[in-house]
Amino acid sequence: MHIWDTRGRQLSVAGYRAPAADALISAEFTYGGSGTCQGGTVRPVDTMSEGRDAEWFFSLDSESVFRGIPDNISDGDGQLAQVSLLPPHRPRLGGLGESLGAVSAGEFETLAAALERELGNRPDADVGITPEGYEITGVPFASGSYGANIYTLDDRAYDVRYIGSTYPDAVTDAVFDPGEGWRKYKYQRMPPAYALRRTGQAKADPAIAELPASVWLSGPIPTDDLLTPVGQSAVYSTFMGTPPKGYTWQSSLFPRRFGAWRWTWDYPADTDVQRIRDVEITVAVYVASVAEQRREFTWNKSGSLSAQSGETLPDNAPATVTTFEASRDDGTTISLTLYLIRDGKREVLGAPQVLMPRTTNSVGTFSSTFQVPEQFAGSRLEAEVAIKQTNGHRIEMQVQTASIKAVRQFPNTAGVQMPEGWDKPFRTPARLEFRLPGWHRPPFDVIWWGGRQPVASATVTWNRGECSTLITTGALGYG
């Protein structure tokens, strides 16, 4: 608590275009509960100040007592000059990303909004800058902390006035509406019977949250034309031979074959609390071995293989010719086809293809992402992995269990922010207002018949040779 005896001490002010000390006639300064500068009025003989050009610093002799920014200025003819002072923190309140004391605003948040977010439920909080330049955001620290900072109401006090309780504009009910088609959420406090019920809108940013949801596809579903089920080796040995140069293979003794694995997954229907989007299927194929195909071709002049058009076999060619040819190429592809099945109808969402790895003991992993149309929610999803070989070689491989990932959308109830006034109390304690001679600056507590309360505000009125302080206890700020 700062108590100044103003007798024999002159109030002075420093700053651009500030009046001289002997020109000051009177002044009023208001402090917050922690001694912050909250505004004031100065009455000089006259003034040439142009307003908001500088910050003014007030002192009693060499001791700082107040600071403020000249704002509204009046010096009309026949009137006493008067300068209203803005509190020094006021210009920052509307700025984005500003900070004051222990409170910092977000990049796209104003300082005023940040202060409301952090201290809106504390009507006894004080926000501002002290005459010494300290930034304060919080509840006055005097209460219960400094035994010496206590004033017990005595006969020095005058103009004592009892002020009843304050009933803040508290919010009792709130609704969170994530958007069309989503469930609404209701929040309610348990107010006392005397509290006026007020409803506000709760919000979340974003209103709809997204998280990856990992699930397993059920399957495989074996059918007659499928290869060995997942997890076991499947020897895939098909061959379409390439005949010797100059000849065309006439037979189809080695037709091309296909192998496939299939899984199904019931695609969840949309609800008012969950939607599934952006399906991604991942399949791993392990290649155990890849062998060259060695195929023997036997032909003779009469028949099994014939010469291409316009060519004849040499007269000295033997009756039977045997040729060997090895094939080991990149002729094997793997495809992943995704179907949506509803009402007995199938719709293909995609069928990308990739080359199989042909190196022994290798793993080929590939995935495909599909945008599932909203109208197919609630359908059955079917994924099919197919192996296709266009040129022959023997390959032994395992297709691992397919995995599926999706994005799960849901209302962001965890990020809900309640409306302004949700944390405000329904009632504040009764307060006391009185005057004391001299210059008294918080923080300090007052003991009176209503108990012990911190000072919520103090307004000093100074005139030459006279000074008093109007003190208000208890919580302020709501009304």
Side-chain angles (χ1 to χ4, degrees):
M1 174 169 56
H2 301 266
I3 302 176
W4 292 294
D5 185 355
T6 61
R7 289 175 298 180
R9 305 177 71 184
Q10 176 61 44
L11 180 68
S12 61
V13 56
Y16 177 68
R17 288 182 176 251
D22 59 3
L24 292 176
I25 299 174
S26 66
E28 286 185 355
F29 301 119
T30 299
Y31 300 98
S34 295
T36 58
C37 304
Q38 294 299 319
T41 302
V42 179
R43 297 178 182 87
V45 174
D46 55 46
T47 178
M48 296 297 293
S49 175
E50 297 176 2
R52 300 196 193 178
D53 292 332
E55 190 171 5
W56 285 2
F57 303 90
F58 295 84
S59 60
L60 283 173
D61 293 339
S62 61
E63 192 165 10
S64 298
V65 294
F66 200 82
R67 59 170 59 192
I69 300 171
D71 184 24
N72 187 26
I73 299 170
S74 172
D75 59 354
D77 293 340
Q79 296 179 353
L80 186 65
Q82 180 172 298
V83 180
S84 299
L85 300 172
L86 284 176
H89 70 281
R90 176 63 183 85
R92 298 196 213 170
L93 295 180
L96 297 176
E98 287 284 343
S99 63
L100 183 69
V103 176
S104 296
E107 181 181 2
F108 301 103
E109 182 183 33
T110 65
L111 178 57
L115 290 169
E116 174 63 31
R117 167 172 50 81
E118 294 294 330
L119 301 172
N121 64 331
R122 297 301 304 263
D124 52 347
D126 185 20
V127 173
I129 301 175
T130 69
E132 298 82 11
Y134 300 116
E135 296 182 357
I136 293 178
T137 51
V139 177
F141 57 80
S143 180
S145 300
Y146 297 93
N149 283 10
I150 296 176
Y151 168 73
T152 301
L153 199 66
D154 56 24
D155 56 7
R156 289 184 300 165
Y158 63 99
D159 291 345
V160 178
R161 186 168 71 96
Y162 172 80
I163 303 174
S165 299
T166 298
Y167 298 87
D169 188 14
V171 173
T172 61
D173 301 72
V175 176
F176 172 49
D177 184 0
E180 184 178 356
W182 293 101
R183 177 181 299 179
K184 295 181 180 180
Y185 295 84
K186 179 174 67 175
Y187 303 87
Q188 290 182 301
R189 299 168 70 183
M190 298 298 293
Y194 62 79
L196 299 179
R197 302 291 293 269
R198 293 178 175 86
T199 299
Q201 293 296 318
K203 298 180 180 180
D205 187 15
I208 302 300
E210 293 186 349
L211 285 177
S214 297
V215 295
W216 292 101
L217 288 171
S218 60
I221 300 176
T223 61
D224 294 340
D225 61 345
L226 299 185
L227 294 180
T228 309
V230 171
Q232 301 180 20
S233 295
V235 177
Y236 186 61
S237 178
T238 65
F239 180 74
M240 288 189 67
T242 301
K245 182 179 179 180
Y247 296 91
T248 302
W249 183 242
Q250 297 282 332
S251 177
S252 58
L253 297 178
F254 306 99
R256 182 172 58 184
R257 290 180 56 194
F258 298 88
W261 288 261
R262 187 172 296 154
W263 299 265
T264 60
W265 178 52
D266 289 330
Y267 188 77
D270 288 349
T271 68
D272 60 357
V273 296
Q274 174 180 277
R275 297 174 187 175
I276 301 296
R277 297 290 183 266
D278 298 337
V279 177
E280 181 181 60
I281 308 290
T282 300
V283 177
V285 179
Y286 172 71
V287 179
S289 64
V290 180
E292 288 186 344
Q293 277 292 324
R294 185 175 176 84
R295 179 63 72 183
E296 177 180 308
F297 299 89
T298 301
W299 53 274
N300 54 51
K301 290 183 179 181
S302 61
S304 296
L305 292 175
S306 62
Q308 289 185 348
S309 175
E311 296 186 13
T312 58
L313 296 176
D315 292 336
N316 60 352
T320 300
V321 176
T322 300
T323 301
F324 296 93
E325 179 164 307
S327 174
R328 185 174 181 179
D329 55 24
D330 295 325
T332 299
T333 59
I334 184 168
S335 65
L336 172 60
T337 305
L338 190 67
Y339 303 94
L340 278 171
I341 305 173
R342 187 174 64 176
D343 300 331
K345 298 180 180 179
R346 282 176 140 212
E347 177 167 325
V348 178
L349 291 184
Q353 294 187 356
V354 296
L355 285 173
M356 282 282 293
R358 62 173 184 167
T359 306
T360 300
N361 296 326
S362 63
V363 178
T365 301
F366 68 98
S367 62
S368 295
T369 301
F370 302 92
Q371 297 290 335
V372 180
E374 293 186 16
Q375 65 268 25
F376 282 94
S379 305
R380 169 157 289 194
L381 187 70
E382 184 175 283
E384 180 180 85
V385 173
I387 307 295
K388 181 186 295 185
Q389 194 173 27
T390 57
N391 289 302
H393 54 273
R394 186 178 186 275
I395 181 169
E396 182 177 351
M397 58 192 163
Q398 294 178 356
V399 176
Q400 308 299 317
T401 301
S403 63
I404 184 170
K405 291 182 179 179
V407 172
R408 184 171 70 93
Q409 299 178 339
F410 53 93
N412 186 16
T413 55
V416 168
Q417 295 182 355
M418 292 302 173
E420 180 181 346
W422 179 261
D423 292 328
K424 290 182 178 180
F426 300 113
R427 177 181 180 178
T428 63
R431 295 174 289 145
L432 186 70
E433 184 179 274
F434 60 94
R435 283 189 177 273
L436 283 176
W439 194 311
H440 300 262
R441 178 185 144 203
F444 60 95
D445 288 358
V446 175
I447 297 178
W448 59 294
W449 59 86
R452 173 174 170 171
Q453 289 181 322
V455 170
S457 72
T459 300
V460 174
T461 301
W462 173 88
N463 292 286
R464 292 183 180 181
E466 183 182 358
C467 183
S468 66
T469 304
L470 177 65
I471 296 171
T472 305
T473 66
L476 295 175
Y478 287 130

